[in-house]
Amino acid sequence: FYEYLLKAWLMSDKTDTEARKTYDDAIEAIERHLIRKSNGGLTFIGEWKNGHLERKMGHLTCFAGGMFALGADGSPDDKAGHYLQLGAEIAHTCHESYDRT
């Protein structure tokens, strides 16, 4: 759902401000509640289940690295670099996950 909010904004030639605001609000909540670092330093997006965070990231979540990087464009200037870096970290975690298995 979240990546489609971003894509709706892009497909509207960046005029669908409601889609962009909803995306921005969602990724702020994702970062606040779901994104963590493993003991080994890998950034991951956990799963919220039954009122607590499960410290695991499913392989289908790997889309999020690209989503955060793509969403850096259009973010406030003070957050653009942060989201680009976060996207790279998540993509790195996915690479490591596949490489190690």
Side-chain angles (χ1 to χ4, degrees):
F1 172 73
Y2 309 110
E3 72 176 304
Y4 294 111
L5 290 170
L6 179 60
K7 289 175 182 178
W9 175 71
L10 290 167
M11 289 176 54
S12 73
D13 200 23
K14 302 179 182 179
T15 62
D16 187 345
T17 56
E18 184 177 347
R20 181 63 202 218
K21 173 153 180 23
T22 305
Y23 169 79
D24 288 335
D25 292 345
I27 62 166
E28 284 182 23
I30 290 168
E31 187 169 14
R32 186 171 47 254
H33 297 291
L34 302 177
I35 295 180
R36 300 289 186 272
K37 283 200 185 274
S38 71
N39 292 336
L42 296 174
T43 302
F44 68 95
I45 302 174
E47 295 180 13
W48 190 260
K49 289 190 178 176
N50 299 320
H52 72 280
L53 182 67
E54 290 190 5
R55 296 178 59 88
K56 66 175 192 163
M57 183 167 126
H59 73 278
L60 294 178
T61 308
C62 287
F63 81 91
M67 179 188 73
F68 276 99
L70 186 62
D73 178 33
S75 293
D77 289 337
D78 62 329
K79 291 193 174 201
H82 169 72
Y83 287 132
L84 191 58
Q85 178 64 34
L86 183 57
E89 290 175 14
I90 292 168
H92 176 71
T93 297
C94 291
H95 174 268
E96 286 299 308
S97 176
Y98 280 98
D99 192 48
R100 294 176 188 192
T101 58

